[in-house]
């Protein structure tokens, strides 16, 4: 009897929660488990109880690599009016990610301010799970930024930017007494790694929210369509990265060639001023066409 073909690598393989579409799907299924996971993760990051929350309208997932610039955020509003935007980022890009996060949080705050009748606006949180190291000089797994004066005094606490650094979390692998945020970091880092399950299972048993997330992503992993979307997303990322690397290499090569040409022209000009060699000899020495040396000779002669 022929077995059904599937994109799932093995019967126990789990989708990668660091993939943006999988990350978002874990928290937005509309199920009790998905809602519990979202509340628990947010509470671990902002260190306060979230009694209830509502998912806000957001962009749909993309299916093609041409939509790479679209973000995959989870936007929520709490029962007390505070808002949060949650995302995972796998590339630091060429820009300053801190500036990007600050602008996103300011935009979220501005949206709240437009709806308010006074300046007494509720807090907003831009929460980013980073699969790269943002600040190599800082060993904190969670970094929390807000507006302060030069002496550390807070302005209003309305705008909050929070990073969970998975690179630093992974350095704690095997350790006990992790914070809840670090446990979530371990889940994001290793849920899809079957070799790390013995350690991860102990963490999952300790936290109902992470257990709910594991249940959700396990259920999602049974659907072949989810593996197709995840594979397509990673293919799109690899194509994008390969294109950027190729463009960088071409730019470097062109720069080197232009630099070599500029040096050759400068050397030819200096030799012409000395008037010790013929244009033919100079062209051969600096590896330039004779026509260019002759043209340069007309410019340097008095």
């Amino acid at each position: 009897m022929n077995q059904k073909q599937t994109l799932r690598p093995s019967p126990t393989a789990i989708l990668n929660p660091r993939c943006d579409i999988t990350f978002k799907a874990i928290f937005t299924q509309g199920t009790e488990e998905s809602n519990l996971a979202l509340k628990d993760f947010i509470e671990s990051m902002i260190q306060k109880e979230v009694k209830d929350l509502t998912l806000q309208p957001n962009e749909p997932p993309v299916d093609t690599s041409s939509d790479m610039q679209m973000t995959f955020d989870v936007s929520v509003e709490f029962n007390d009016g505070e808002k949060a935007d949650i995302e995972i980022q796998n590339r630091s890009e060429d820009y300053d990610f801190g500036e990007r996060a600050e602008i996103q949080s300011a935009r979220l705050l501005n949206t709240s301010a437009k709806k308010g009748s006074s300046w007494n606006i509720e807090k907003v949180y831009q929460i980013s799970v980073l699969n790269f190291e943002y600040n190599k000089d800082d060993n904190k797994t969670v970094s929390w930024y807000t507006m302060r004066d030069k002496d550390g005094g807070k302005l209003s606490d309305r705008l909050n930017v929070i990073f969970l650094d998975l690179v630093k979390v992974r350095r704690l692998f095997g350790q006990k007494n992790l914070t809840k945020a670090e446990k979530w970091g371990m889940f994001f880092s290793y849920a899809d790694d079957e070799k790390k399950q013995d350690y991860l299972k102990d963490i999952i048993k300790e936290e109902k929210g992470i257990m709910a997330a594991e249940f959700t992503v396990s259920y999602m992993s049974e659907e072949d369509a989810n593996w197709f979307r995840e594979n397509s997303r990673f293919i799109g990322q690899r194509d994008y990265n390969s294109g950027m690397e190729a463009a960088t290499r071409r730019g470097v090569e062109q720069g080197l060639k232009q630099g070599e040409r500029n040096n050759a022209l400068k050397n030819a000009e200096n030799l012409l001023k000395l008037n010790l060699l013929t244009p033919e000899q100079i062209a051969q020495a600096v590896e330039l066409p004779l026509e260019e040396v002759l043209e340069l000779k007309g410019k340097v002669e008095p």
Side-chain angles (χ1 to χ4, degrees):
M1 183 176 179
N2 293 331
Q3 291 185 338
K4 180 183 177 182
Q5 295 295 314
T6 177
L7 293 174
R8 193 177 190 183
S10 74
T12 57
I14 298 298
L15 290 163
N16 185 342
R18 298 177 305 285
C19 177
D20 42 21
I21 54 176
T22 303
F23 177 87
K24 180 171 182 174
I26 290 172
F27 296 125
T28 58
Q29 293 297 300
T31 63
E32 181 179 344
E33 291 81 10
S34 187
N35 189 62
L36 172 60
L38 179 58
K39 286 173 59 177
D40 188 81
F41 173 65
I42 292 174
E43 288 178 348
S44 75
M45 296 301 296
I46 68 174
Q47 300 175 14
K48 63 170 280 186
E49 182 182 3
V50 178
K51 293 183 178 180
D52 197 13
L53 53 79
T54 305
L55 285 168
Q56 299 298 298
N58 209 326
E59 80 288 336
V62 300
D63 296 321
T64 64
S65 59
S66 63
D67 292 327
M68 284 293 292
Q69 297 306 314
M70 244 180 165
T71 57
F72 284 76
D73 302 348
V74 179
S75 298
V76 298
E77 181 173 350
F78 308 151
N79 58 293
D80 60 3
E82 294 184 350
K83 292 182 175 64
D85 192 79
I86 303 103
E87 65 172 353
I88 188 161
Q89 280 289 328
N90 288 291
R91 301 190 307 274
S92 60
E93 300 290 359
D94 295 328
Y95 53 74
D96 187 334
F97 186 81
E99 292 179 5
R100 176 187 183 277
E102 190 174 37
I103 291 170
Q104 284 185 302
S105 62
R107 184 165 52 190
L108 189 60
L109 184 64
N110 185 52
T111 301
S112 297
K114 288 180 179 178
K115 297 178 180 180
S117 58
S118 70
W119 293 115
N120 186 24
I121 307 302
E122 302 299 337
K123 295 180 182 180
V124 298
Y125 306 88
Q126 176 64 37
I127 303 171
S128 299
V129 180
L130 306 182
N131 198 27
F132 60 89
E133 196 166 18
Y134 173 68
N135 186 353
K136 295 182 180 181
D137 297 326
D138 187 349
N139 293 322
K140 296 194 297 292
T141 54
V142 177
S143 299
W144 189 319
Y145 303 91
T146 189
M147 296 185 70
R148 298 172 180 268
D149 66 19
K150 63 180 181 179
D151 298 318
K154 295 180 181 179
L155 186 60
S156 71
D157 274 351
R158 290 296 177 264
L159 189 151
N160 298 271
V161 176
I162 307 173
F163 295 156
L164 173 60
D165 190 321
L166 297 187
V167 175
K168 293 183 176 68
V169 168
R170 287 193 282 269
R171 292 174 186 157
L172 303 178
F173 183 82
Q175 294 187 21
K176 304 292 184 180
N177 301 319
L178 301 176
T179 66
K180 182 177 283 192
E182 289 167 349
K183 291 176 182 178
W184 270 104
M186 287 294 177
F187 171 77
F188 294 136
S189 295
Y190 298 119
D192 60 320
D193 189 339
E194 296 186 276
K195 296 180 181 179
K196 302 291 195 302
Q197 292 309 300
D198 287 342
Y199 175 66
L200 193 60
K201 284 179 179 177
D202 290 336
I203 291 176
I204 293 173
K205 290 178 182 177
E206 297 171 353
E207 303 292 342
K208 291 183 178 179
I210 302 179
M211 189 182 300
E214 195 270 342
F215 174 86
T216 301
V217 75
S218 296
Y219 178 79
M220 290 165 50
S221 299
E222 296 176 4
E223 293 293 330
D224 221 37
N226 291 328
W227 288 96
F228 175 79
R229 294 188 187 97
E230 184 172 284
N231 290 341
S232 296
R233 185 65 176 161
F234 282 135
I235 289 172
Q237 289 176 340
R238 284 193 292 269
D239 287 346
Y240 175 84
N241 293 338
S242 296
M244 292 296 291
E245 290 172 3
T248 300
R249 285 196 301 271
R250 287 195 297 271
V252 170
E253 291 169 359
Q254 291 172 359
L256 289 173
K257 289 179 180 178
Q258 186 60 45
E260 292 172 358
R261 173 175 167 75
N262 291 340
N263 287 333
L265 289 169
K266 187 63 178 177
N267 291 334
E269 181 180 350
N270 291 335
L271 290 171
L272 285 167
K273 289 178 180 179
L274 291 173
N275 199 25
L276 297 175
L277 301 174
T278 67
E280 289 80 7
Q281 290 172 321
I282 293 174
Q284 185 176 5
V286 300
E287 298 182 348
L288 281 175
L290 177 58
E291 292 78 8
E292 290 193 46
V293 176
L294 290 172
E295 181 181 352
L296 188 61
K297 183 174 184 295
K299 294 179 180 179
V300 299
E301 286 182 343

